[in-house]
Amino acid sequence: MKSSLESSNGLKRTLKIEIEPAAVLAAFEIEFQKIQKNLVLPGFRKGKAPMDQIRAMYRSRVINDVVDNLVNKNYFEALKEHKLHPVSMPQIDLNEITEDKGFSFTATLEVKPEIKLSKYKGFELKKEVAKVEEEKVQNIISQILDSKAEKVPVFEDRPAQEKDFVDINFEGFLGPNQPLPNGAANNFILELGSNSFIPGFEEGLIGTKAGGQKTLDLSFPEDYQATEIAGKNVSFKVTVNKILKKLVPELDDKLVESLGDPRVKTAEALKEEIKTDLLRSEEERTVKAMQEEVLKSLIESNPIELPETLVNQQKEGLKQNSQQSLVAQGFSEEEMKEYYTKWDEDFTKNAKDIIHVSLLMDAIAETENLRPLEKDIDSKIQMMIAQAGPNAHKVKEYYSDINKKDSLYYKLMEDNVISFVIENSKIIEA
């Protein structure tokens, strides 16, 4: 076998491979002998059919097998010979093959770029100091108290106002004697100002007293989710049965005990628990922000020519991952096409960043001996199994998939590299 290498634009390479006639003939003979071994022809014992007859009968059938075998064997030998590391499946262009002549083909492929690490130590990285503002603690306490609030009748003689709750009966009509499908209810509790109903409905009830009746002539929004009534006029007949207001309890030890957490029994303990949880979340956020700063610094300091194949594959993966979310939000096929067109540049940039980072992670891990060992991976899996409790079997089953285990390997390697970069950088608290 003889091979030559041509460099095309960027990372594309073309291998020209020539196989000598003797090797081609030998490949045909091997395939014919496989057939002869099990073939039974009239007048001949199994395995004794004449080779000339087999060639005549099965030549067209064996050509594909011969070509596949010759291409696979010699393509990989040529990769080794020229020390190429492909990142894509090759495009193979075949010349005609016959038993008595040499055979040649070309393979066009994209290779892994040569990575020269310019800088991955000595960065100046900002780290926010995690802190919790009292306002955030009070907001969570307010949410807890709000969840324990009761709706009580308004006894003073006044009309309904924003933030009140009203107990109403209502009927909707699209026209005379044309009831709105599913557009009626009795004793429905509605918070005024919550925007739960179409525009104008809640506003129309403000100023109405208990026992009052109103007719609200409105229109459904043009983009209303029920397309069959979107943009149509509608009339609601509404009776306000009662006006209610929210009675929010005070924060005290008795209320805290009613929350059912045996670790937290007093109002002060609840505040401290909330503050601790918020601080933990803030610390996680600041760590993630610094990790993202590390990745950004690595990309900016170490330019790489990126393989188009990998970028395109990553981009398609990102789009597929987003598809489920878009479907859940009710996007039609046409709307999804418009979405992907609008955000195409963002998908491309994100794909490039992901491939850029993955190549740098691999290069730094190789240079600094930061690749996780098999025992590191097994230890991490065992830790997750121990933490999973009754779902331990699901974790074990999940990582029995080699692809999932490979993903964990990369995650651990990335963690090792990021930690190494941080340890070898100057941290500035902000």
mmCIF file of all heavy atoms in Angstrom, residues 291-335:
data_model
loop_
_atom_site.group_PDB
_atom_site.id
_atom_site.type_symbol
_atom_site.label_atom_id
_atom_site.label_comp_id
_atom_site.label_asym_id
_atom_site.label_seq_id
_atom_site.Cartn_x
_atom_site.Cartn_y
_atom_site.Cartn_z
ATOM 1 N N GLN A 291 -15.879 29.879 37.827
ATOM 2 C CA GLN A 291 -15.582 28.811 36.865
ATOM 3 C C GLN A 291 -15.839 29.282 35.436
ATOM 4 O O GLN A 291 -15.051 28.996 34.523
ATOM 5 C CB GLN A 291 -16.431 27.577 37.178
ATOM 6 C CG GLN A 291 -16.021 26.868 38.460
ATOM 7 C CD GLN A 291 -16.960 25.737 38.825
ATOM 8 O OE1 GLN A 291 -18.107 25.685 38.362
ATOM 9 N NE2 GLN A 291 -16.501 24.816 39.649
ATOM 10 N N GLU A 292 -16.936 30.018 35.242
ATOM 11 C CA GLU A 292 -17.235 30.549 33.910
ATOM 12 C C GLU A 292 -16.194 31.574 33.479
ATOM 13 O O GLU A 292 -15.834 31.651 32.307
ATOM 14 C CB GLU A 292 -18.636 31.182 33.908
ATOM 15 C CG GLU A 292 -19.754 30.149 34.011
ATOM 16 C CD GLU A 292 -21.129 30.775 34.149
ATOM 17 O OE1 GLU A 292 -21.205 32.016 34.286
ATOM 18 O OE2 GLU A 292 -22.131 30.023 34.137
ATOM 19 N N GLU A 293 -15.666 32.335 34.456
ATOM 20 C CA GLU A 293 -14.603 33.294 34.148
ATOM 21 C C GLU A 293 -13.333 32.561 33.732
ATOM 22 O O GLU A 293 -12.598 33.009 32.841
ATOM 23 C CB GLU A 293 -14.332 34.189 35.357
ATOM 24 C CG GLU A 293 -13.402 35.353 35.023
ATOM 25 C CD GLU A 293 -13.120 36.251 36.216
ATOM 26 O OE1 GLU A 293 -13.744 36.053 37.276
ATOM 27 O OE2 GLU A 293 -12.264 37.134 36.074
ATOM 28 N N VAL A 294 -13.055 31.419 34.361
ATOM 29 C CA VAL A 294 -11.899 30.600 33.978
ATOM 30 C C VAL A 294 -12.024 30.155 32.527
ATOM 31 O O VAL A 294 -11.083 30.283 31.732
ATOM 32 C CB VAL A 294 -11.776 29.362 34.903
ATOM 33 C CG1 VAL A 294 -10.795 28.351 34.322
ATOM 34 C CG2 VAL A 294 -11.339 29.778 36.293
ATOM 35 N N LEU A 295 -13.195 29.639 32.164
ATOM 36 C CA LEU A 295 -13.398 29.152 30.795
ATOM 37 C C LEU A 295 -13.266 30.290 29.786
ATOM 38 O O LEU A 295 -12.652 30.130 28.722
ATOM 39 C CB LEU A 295 -14.774 28.490 30.682
ATOM 40 C CG LEU A 295 -15.010 27.270 31.583
ATOM 41 C CD1 LEU A 295 -16.394 26.692 31.332
ATOM 42 C CD2 LEU A 295 -13.951 26.206 31.366
ATOM 43 N N LYS A 296 -13.841 31.445 30.124
ATOM 44 C CA LYS A 296 -13.748 32.602 29.239
ATOM 45 C C LYS A 296 -12.293 33.022 29.059
ATOM 46 O O LYS A 296 -11.842 33.313 27.932
ATOM 47 C CB LYS A 296 -14.570 33.753 29.808
ATOM 48 C CG LYS A 296 -14.593 34.991 28.927
ATOM 49 C CD LYS A 296 -15.422 36.098 29.558
ATOM 50 C CE LYS A 296 -15.386 37.360 28.702
ATOM 51 N NZ LYS A 296 -16.152 38.477 29.335
ATOM 52 N N SER A 297 -11.512 33.033 30.150
ATOM 53 C CA SER A 297 -10.104 33.427 30.089
ATOM 54 C C SER A 297 -9.298 32.441 29.250
ATOM 55 O O SER A 297 -8.420 32.843 28.474
ATOM 56 C CB SER A 297 -9.519 33.509 31.506
ATOM 57 O OG SER A 297 -10.196 34.479 32.274
ATOM 58 N N LEU A 298 -9.583 31.153 29.406
ATOM 59 C CA LEU A 298 -8.874 30.134 28.629
ATOM 60 C C LEU A 298 -9.143 30.293 27.134
ATOM 61 O O LEU A 298 -8.227 30.200 26.312
ATOM 62 C CB LEU A 298 -9.289 28.733 29.091
ATOM 63 C CG LEU A 298 -8.766 28.279 30.452
ATOM 64 C CD1 LEU A 298 -9.413 26.954 30.853
ATOM 65 C CD2 LEU A 298 -7.253 28.140 30.435
ATOM 66 N N ILE A 299 -10.409 30.536 26.780
ATOM 67 C CA ILE A 299 -10.768 30.702 25.368
ATOM 68 C C ILE A 299 -10.067 31.919 24.778
ATOM 69 O O ILE A 299 -9.481 31.855 23.690
ATOM 70 C CB ILE A 299 -12.302 30.825 25.212
ATOM 71 C CG1 ILE A 299 -12.975 29.481 25.484
ATOM 72 C CG2 ILE A 299 -12.669 31.326 23.819
ATOM 73 C CD1 ILE A 299 -14.490 29.536 25.504
ATOM 74 N N GLU A 300 -10.111 33.037 25.511
ATOM 75 C CA GLU A 300 -9.515 34.269 24.994
ATOM 76 C C GLU A 300 -7.998 34.171 24.879
ATOM 77 O O GLU A 300 -7.396 34.771 23.982
ATOM 78 C CB GLU A 300 -9.890 35.447 25.908
ATOM 79 C CG GLU A 300 -11.368 35.814 25.839
ATOM 80 C CD GLU A 300 -11.744 36.895 26.837
ATOM 81 O OE1 GLU A 300 -10.900 37.212 27.712
ATOM 82 O OE2 GLU A 300 -12.880 37.414 26.755
ATOM 83 N N SER A 301 -7.362 33.411 25.773
ATOM 84 C CA SER A 301 -5.895 33.346 25.802
ATOM 85 C C SER A 301 -5.318 32.245 24.927
ATOM 86 O O SER A 301 -4.101 32.209 24.704
ATOM 87 C CB SER A 301 -5.414 33.133 27.250
ATOM 88 O OG SER A 301 -5.864 34.167 28.084
ATOM 89 N N ASN A 302 -6.165 31.337 24.456
ATOM 90 C CA ASN A 302 -5.670 30.185 23.688
ATOM 91 C C ASN A 302 -6.502 29.970 22.431
ATOM 92 O O ASN A 302 -7.354 29.077 22.378
ATOM 93 C CB ASN A 302 -5.704 28.920 24.557
ATOM 94 C CG ASN A 302 -4.823 29.026 25.777
ATOM 95 O OD1 ASN A 302 -3.627 28.790 25.721
ATOM 96 N ND2 ASN A 302 -5.427 29.396 26.911
ATOM 97 N N PRO A 303 -6.293 30.801 21.405
ATOM 98 C CA PRO A 303 -7.055 30.619 20.158
ATOM 99 C C PRO A 303 -6.730 29.292 19.495
ATOM 100 O O PRO A 303 -5.581 28.839 19.507
ATOM 101 C CB PRO A 303 -6.608 31.806 19.298
ATOM 102 C CG PRO A 303 -5.288 32.222 19.871
ATOM 103 C CD PRO A 303 -5.337 31.916 21.328
ATOM 104 N N ILE A 304 -7.753 28.668 18.940
ATOM 105 C CA ILE A 304 -7.605 27.371 18.267
ATOM 106 C C ILE A 304 -8.424 27.392 16.984
ATOM 107 O O ILE A 304 -9.528 27.952 16.950
ATOM 108 C CB ILE A 304 -8.123 26.204 19.154
ATOM 109 C CG1 ILE A 304 -7.357 26.126 20.471
ATOM 110 C CG2 ILE A 304 -7.998 24.871 18.426
ATOM 111 C CD1 ILE A 304 -7.932 25.088 21.424
ATOM 112 N N GLU A 305 -7.902 26.785 15.947
ATOM 113 C CA GLU A 305 -8.699 26.561 14.745
ATOM 114 C C GLU A 305 -9.629 25.385 15.026
ATOM 115 O O GLU A 305 -9.164 24.268 15.284
ATOM 116 C CB GLU A 305 -7.791 26.260 13.550
ATOM 117 C CG GLU A 305 -8.549 26.117 12.249
ATOM 118 C CD GLU A 305 -7.634 25.874 11.058
ATOM 119 O OE1 GLU A 305 -6.426 25.657 11.265
ATOM 120 O OE2 GLU A 305 -8.151 25.883 9.932
ATOM 121 N N LEU A 306 -10.911 25.629 14.995
ATOM 122 C CA LEU A 306 -11.878 24.611 15.411
ATOM 123 C C LEU A 306 -12.345 23.767 14.230
ATOM 124 O O LEU A 306 -12.652 24.312 13.163
ATOM 125 C CB LEU A 306 -13.092 25.273 16.075
ATOM 126 C CG LEU A 306 -12.789 26.150 17.295
ATOM 127 C CD1 LEU A 306 -14.063 26.823 17.780
ATOM 128 C CD2 LEU A 306 -12.165 25.318 18.410
ATOM 129 N N PRO A 307 -12.451 22.456 14.411
ATOM 130 C CA PRO A 307 -12.966 21.576 13.340
ATOM 131 C C PRO A 307 -14.432 21.872 13.049
ATOM 132 O O PRO A 307 -15.274 21.824 13.953
ATOM 133 C CB PRO A 307 -12.794 20.164 13.919
ATOM 134 C CG PRO A 307 -11.833 20.306 15.052
ATOM 135 C CD PRO A 307 -12.032 21.685 15.595
ATOM 136 N N GLU A 308 -14.735 22.193 11.801
ATOM 137 C CA GLU A 308 -16.118 22.522 11.418
ATOM 138 C C GLU A 308 -17.068 21.375 11.731
ATOM 139 O O GLU A 308 -18.212 21.593 12.136
ATOM 140 C CB GLU A 308 -16.181 22.849 9.925
ATOM 141 C CG GLU A 308 -15.552 24.180 9.551
ATOM 142 C CD GLU A 308 -15.691 24.458 8.067
ATOM 143 O OE1 GLU A 308 -16.541 23.799 7.423
ATOM 144 O OE2 GLU A 308 -14.958 25.318 7.559
ATOM 145 N N THR A 309 -16.598 20.145 11.528
ATOM 146 C CA THR A 309 -17.458 18.979 11.758
ATOM 147 C C THR A 309 -17.936 18.933 13.204
ATOM 148 O O THR A 309 -19.129 18.734 13.478
ATOM 149 C CB THR A 309 -16.703 17.683 11.421
ATOM 150 O OG1 THR A 309 -16.250 17.744 10.082
ATOM 151 C CG2 THR A 309 -17.606 16.471 11.597
ATOM 152 N N LEU A 310 -16.998 19.110 14.142
ATOM 153 C CA LEU A 310 -17.365 19.045 15.563
ATOM 154 C C LEU A 310 -18.291 20.196 15.945
ATOM 155 O O LEU A 310 -19.245 20.011 16.697
ATOM 156 C CB LEU A 310 -16.110 19.077 16.433
ATOM 157 C CG LEU A 310 -15.186 17.867 16.359
ATOM 158 C CD1 LEU A 310 -14.054 17.996 17.376
ATOM 159 C CD2 LEU A 310 -15.945 16.567 16.598
ATOM 160 N N VAL A 311 -18.013 21.386 15.412
ATOM 161 C CA VAL A 311 -18.855 22.541 15.711
ATOM 162 C C VAL A 311 -20.276 22.310 15.203
ATOM 163 O O VAL A 311 -21.260 22.555 15.917
ATOM 164 C CB VAL A 311 -18.273 23.832 15.099
ATOM 165 C CG1 VAL A 311 -19.262 24.985 15.233
ATOM 166 C CG2 VAL A 311 -16.955 24.187 15.773
ATOM 167 N N ASN A 312 -20.393 21.809 13.985
ATOM 168 C CA ASN A 312 -21.721 21.565 13.402
ATOM 169 C C ASN A 312 -22.482 20.489 14.172
ATOM 170 O O ASN A 312 -23.693 20.607 14.405
ATOM 171 C CB ASN A 312 -21.594 21.172 11.932
ATOM 172 C CG ASN A 312 -21.142 22.337 11.071
ATOM 173 O OD1 ASN A 312 -21.341 23.501 11.430
ATOM 174 N ND2 ASN A 312 -20.526 22.051 9.938
ATOM 175 N N GLN A 313 -21.762 19.448 14.586
ATOM 176 C CA GLN A 313 -22.413 18.384 15.370
ATOM 177 C C GLN A 313 -22.893 18.932 16.713
ATOM 178 O O GLN A 313 -23.996 18.625 17.161
ATOM 179 C CB GLN A 313 -21.435 17.223 15.588
ATOM 180 C CG GLN A 313 -21.167 16.396 14.348
ATOM 181 C CD GLN A 313 -20.090 15.347 14.578
ATOM 182 O OE1 GLN A 313 -19.406 15.338 15.609
ATOM 183 N NE2 GLN A 313 -19.909 14.456 13.608
ATOM 184 N N GLN A 314 -22.056 19.734 17.361
ATOM 185 C CA GLN A 314 -22.430 20.313 18.649
ATOM 186 C C GLN A 314 -23.611 21.252 18.504
ATOM 187 O O GLN A 314 -24.526 21.275 19.339
ATOM 188 C CB GLN A 314 -21.231 21.065 19.241
ATOM 189 C CG GLN A 314 -21.467 21.621 20.626
ATOM 190 C CD GLN A 314 -21.687 20.531 21.658
ATOM 191 O OE1 GLN A 314 -20.888 19.607 21.780
ATOM 192 N NE2 GLN A 314 -22.771 20.626 22.406
ATOM 193 N N LYS A 315 -23.612 22.026 17.437
ATOM 194 C CA LYS A 315 -24.699 22.960 17.186
ATOM 195 C C LYS A 315 -26.021 22.219 17.009
ATOM 196 O O LYS A 315 -27.053 22.610 17.576
ATOM 197 C CB LYS A 315 -24.390 23.786 15.933
ATOM 198 C CG LYS A 315 -25.435 24.833 15.591
ATOM 199 C CD LYS A 315 -25.004 25.622 14.360
ATOM 200 C CE LYS A 315 -26.065 26.608 13.917
ATOM 201 N NZ LYS A 315 -25.655 27.369 12.719
ATOM 202 N N GLU A 316 -26.001 21.148 16.244
ATOM 203 C CA GLU A 316 -27.216 20.353 16.061
ATOM 204 C C GLU A 316 -27.673 19.746 17.377
ATOM 205 O O GLU A 316 -28.873 19.667 17.653
ATOM 206 C CB GLU A 316 -26.981 19.247 15.021
ATOM 207 C CG GLU A 316 -26.950 19.740 13.596
ATOM 208 C CD GLU A 316 -28.202 20.532 13.229
ATOM 209 O OE1 GLU A 316 -29.314 20.007 13.425
ATOM 210 O OE2 GLU A 316 -28.060 21.684 12.769
ATOM 211 N N GLY A 317 -26.712 19.328 18.210
ATOM 212 C CA GLY A 317 -27.065 18.783 19.518
ATOM 213 C C GLY A 317 -27.738 19.811 20.407
ATOM 214 O O GLY A 317 -28.715 19.517 21.091
ATOM 215 N N LEU A 318 -27.231 21.049 20.376
ATOM 216 C CA LEU A 318 -27.832 22.125 21.165
ATOM 217 C C LEU A 318 -29.260 22.416 20.702
ATOM 218 O O LEU A 318 -30.166 22.634 21.507
ATOM 219 C CB LEU A 318 -26.986 23.398 21.062
ATOM 220 C CG LEU A 318 -25.605 23.357 21.723
ATOM 221 C CD1 LEU A 318 -24.835 24.638 21.417
ATOM 222 C CD2 LEU A 318 -25.726 23.173 23.229
ATOM 223 N N LYS A 319 -29.456 22.405 19.397
ATOM 224 C CA LYS A 319 -30.785 22.671 18.853
ATOM 225 C C LYS A 319 -31.760 21.554 19.232
ATOM 226 O O LYS A 319 -32.913 21.813 19.598
ATOM 227 C CB LYS A 319 -30.700 22.838 17.335
ATOM 228 C CG LYS A 319 -30.012 24.131 16.917
ATOM 229 C CD LYS A 319 -29.639 24.161 15.463
ATOM 230 C CE LYS A 319 -30.834 24.318 14.559
ATOM 231 N NZ LYS A 319 -30.416 24.536 13.147
ATOM 232 N N GLN A 320 -31.293 20.315 19.169
ATOM 233 C CA GLN A 320 -32.157 19.189 19.550
ATOM 234 C C GLN A 320 -32.519 19.259 21.029
ATOM 235 O O GLN A 320 -33.653 18.969 21.417
ATOM 236 C CB GLN A 320 -31.464 17.876 19.224
ATOM 237 C CG GLN A 320 -31.406 17.566 17.734
ATOM 238 C CD GLN A 320 -30.652 16.288 17.430
ATOM 239 O OE1 GLN A 320 -30.366 15.488 18.321
ATOM 240 N NE2 GLN A 320 -30.301 16.086 16.168
ATOM 241 N N ASN A 321 -31.534 19.649 21.862
ATOM 242 C CA ASN A 321 -31.802 19.754 23.295
ATOM 243 C C ASN A 321 -32.839 20.832 23.601
ATOM 244 O O ASN A 321 -33.605 20.714 24.559
ATOM 245 C CB ASN A 321 -30.500 20.065 24.054
ATOM 246 C CG ASN A 321 -29.548 18.892 24.083
ATOM 247 O OD1 ASN A 321 -29.947 17.751 23.842
ATOM 248 N ND2 ASN A 321 -28.285 19.156 24.344
ATOM 249 N N SER A 322 -32.847 21.897 22.796
ATOM 250 C CA SER A 322 -33.792 22.987 23.028
ATOM 251 C C SER A 322 -35.186 22.662 22.502
ATOM 252 O O SER A 322 -36.168 23.283 22.912
ATOM 253 C CB SER A 322 -33.291 24.272 22.354
ATOM 254 O OG SER A 322 -33.360 24.165 20.944
ATOM 255 N N GLN A 323 -35.262 21.677 21.634
ATOM 256 C CA GLN A 323 -36.533 21.389 20.961
ATOM 257 C C GLN A 323 -37.621 20.969 21.942
ATOM 258 O O GLN A 323 -38.770 21.409 21.843
ATOM 259 C CB GLN A 323 -36.325 20.302 19.907
ATOM 260 C CG GLN A 323 -37.460 20.188 18.918
ATOM 261 C CD GLN A 323 -37.115 19.259 17.773
ATOM 262 O OE1 GLN A 323 -36.577 18.173 17.968
ATOM 263 N NE2 GLN A 323 -37.411 19.677 16.562
ATOM 264 N N GLN A 324 -37.258 20.137 22.919
ATOM 265 C CA GLN A 324 -38.242 19.657 23.890
ATOM 266 C C GLN A 324 -38.847 20.823 24.674
ATOM 267 O O GLN A 324 -40.060 20.868 24.915
ATOM 268 C CB GLN A 324 -37.591 18.663 24.857
ATOM 269 C CG GLN A 324 -38.577 17.998 25.804
ATOM 270 C CD GLN A 324 -37.920 16.917 26.648
ATOM 271 O OE1 GLN A 324 -36.739 16.611 26.482
ATOM 272 N NE2 GLN A 324 -38.666 16.339 27.564
ATOM 273 N N SER A 325 -37.994 21.787 25.049
ATOM 274 C CA SER A 325 -38.482 22.953 25.780
ATOM 275 C C SER A 325 -39.419 23.793 24.918
ATOM 276 O O SER A 325 -40.448 24.274 25.399
ATOM 277 C CB SER A 325 -37.289 23.803 26.234
ATOM 278 O OG SER A 325 -37.725 25.008 26.803
ATOM 279 N N LEU A 326 -39.069 23.958 23.640
ATOM 280 C CA LEU A 326 -39.913 24.754 22.746
ATOM 281 C C LEU A 326 -41.270 24.094 22.535
ATOM 282 O O LEU A 326 -42.298 24.776 22.501
ATOM 283 C CB LEU A 326 -39.203 24.957 21.409
ATOM 284 C CG LEU A 326 -37.907 25.776 21.441
ATOM 285 C CD1 LEU A 326 -37.290 25.853 20.053
ATOM 286 C CD2 LEU A 326 -38.163 27.168 21.981
ATOM 287 N N VAL A 327 -41.277 22.774 22.391
ATOM 288 C CA VAL A 327 -42.536 22.037 22.217
ATOM 289 C C VAL A 327 -43.406 22.205 23.460
ATOM 290 O O VAL A 327 -44.619 22.429 23.368
ATOM 291 C CB VAL A 327 -42.261 20.545 21.937
ATOM 292 C CG1 VAL A 327 -43.557 19.732 22.009
ATOM 293 C CG2 VAL A 327 -41.613 20.369 20.569
ATOM 294 N N ALA A 328 -42.772 22.136 24.650
ATOM 295 C CA ALA A 328 -43.519 22.288 25.897
ATOM 296 C C ALA A 328 -44.135 23.679 26.013
ATOM 297 O O ALA A 328 -45.177 23.861 26.645
ATOM 298 C CB ALA A 328 -42.596 22.025 27.085
ATOM 299 N N GLN A 329 -43.481 24.667 25.383
ATOM 300 C CA GLN A 329 -44.003 26.033 25.407
ATOM 301 C C GLN A 329 -45.051 26.280 24.325
ATOM 302 O O GLN A 329 -45.581 27.380 24.211
ATOM 303 C CB GLN A 329 -42.853 27.036 25.231
ATOM 304 C CG GLN A 329 -41.854 27.042 26.373
ATOM 305 C CD GLN A 329 -40.678 27.966 26.080
ATOM 306 O OE1 GLN A 329 -40.858 29.142 25.792
ATOM 307 N NE2 GLN A 329 -39.483 27.417 26.138
ATOM 308 N N GLY A 330 -45.335 25.226 23.520
ATOM 309 C CA GLY A 330 -46.380 25.332 22.515
ATOM 310 C C GLY A 330 -45.931 25.855 21.164
ATOM 311 O O GLY A 330 -46.759 26.271 20.350
ATOM 312 N N PHE A 331 -44.620 25.835 20.898
ATOM 313 C CA PHE A 331 -44.127 26.295 19.602
ATOM 314 C C PHE A 331 -44.563 25.337 18.495
ATOM 315 O O PHE A 331 -44.464 24.115 18.638
ATOM 316 C CB PHE A 331 -42.590 26.369 19.604
ATOM 317 C CG PHE A 331 -42.035 27.632 20.185
ATOM 318 C CD1 PHE A 331 -42.328 28.014 21.495
ATOM 319 C CD2 PHE A 331 -41.210 28.458 19.442
ATOM 320 C CE1 PHE A 331 -41.811 29.174 22.049
ATOM 321 C CE2 PHE A 331 -40.684 29.625 19.977
ATOM 322 C CZ PHE A 331 -40.983 29.980 21.284
ATOM 323 N N SER A 332 -45.031 25.888 17.384
ATOM 324 C CA SER A 332 -45.333 25.069 16.205
ATOM 325 C C SER A 332 -44.041 24.829 15.432
ATOM 326 O O SER A 332 -43.004 25.438 15.726
ATOM 327 C CB SER A 332 -46.338 25.798 15.309
ATOM 328 O OG SER A 332 -45.746 26.989 14.777
ATOM 329 N N GLU A 333 -44.088 23.948 14.433
ATOM 330 C CA GLU A 333 -42.895 23.679 13.622
ATOM 331 C C GLU A 333 -42.406 24.952 12.939
ATOM 332 O O GLU A 333 -41.194 25.204 12.858
ATOM 333 C CB GLU A 333 -43.196 22.591 12.581
ATOM 334 C CG GLU A 333 -43.274 21.189 13.162
ATOM 335 C CD GLU A 333 -43.295 20.124 12.075
ATOM 336 O OE1 GLU A 333 -42.800 20.389 10.972
ATOM 337 O OE2 GLU A 333 -43.813 19.033 12.353
ATOM 338 N N GLU A 334 -43.341 25.738 12.432
ATOM 339 C CA GLU A 334 -42.969 26.973 11.748
ATOM 340 C C GLU A 334 -42.328 27.964 12.729
ATOM 341 O O GLU A 334 -41.332 28.624 12.395
ATOM 342 C CB GLU A 334 -44.215 27.611 11.109
ATOM 343 C CG GLU A 334 -43.917 28.771 10.181
ATOM 344 C CD GLU A 334 -43.036 28.387 9.000
ATOM 345 O OE1 GLU A 334 -43.163 27.242 8.500
ATOM 346 O OE2 GLU A 334 -42.202 29.222 8.601
ATOM 347 N N GLU A 335 -42.894 28.048 13.933
ATOM 348 C CA GLU A 335 -42.325 28.948 14.942
ATOM 349 C C GLU A 335 -40.941 28.496 15.376
ATOM 350 O O GLU A 335 -40.059 29.330 15.640
ATOM 351 C CB GLU A 335 -43.263 29.017 16.153
ATOM 352 C CG GLU A 335 -44.545 29.809 15.884
ATOM 353 C CD GLU A 335 -45.541 29.693 17.017
ATOM 354 O OE1 GLU A 335 -45.573 28.634 17.688
ATOM 355 O OE2 GLU A 335 -46.311 30.646 17.226
#
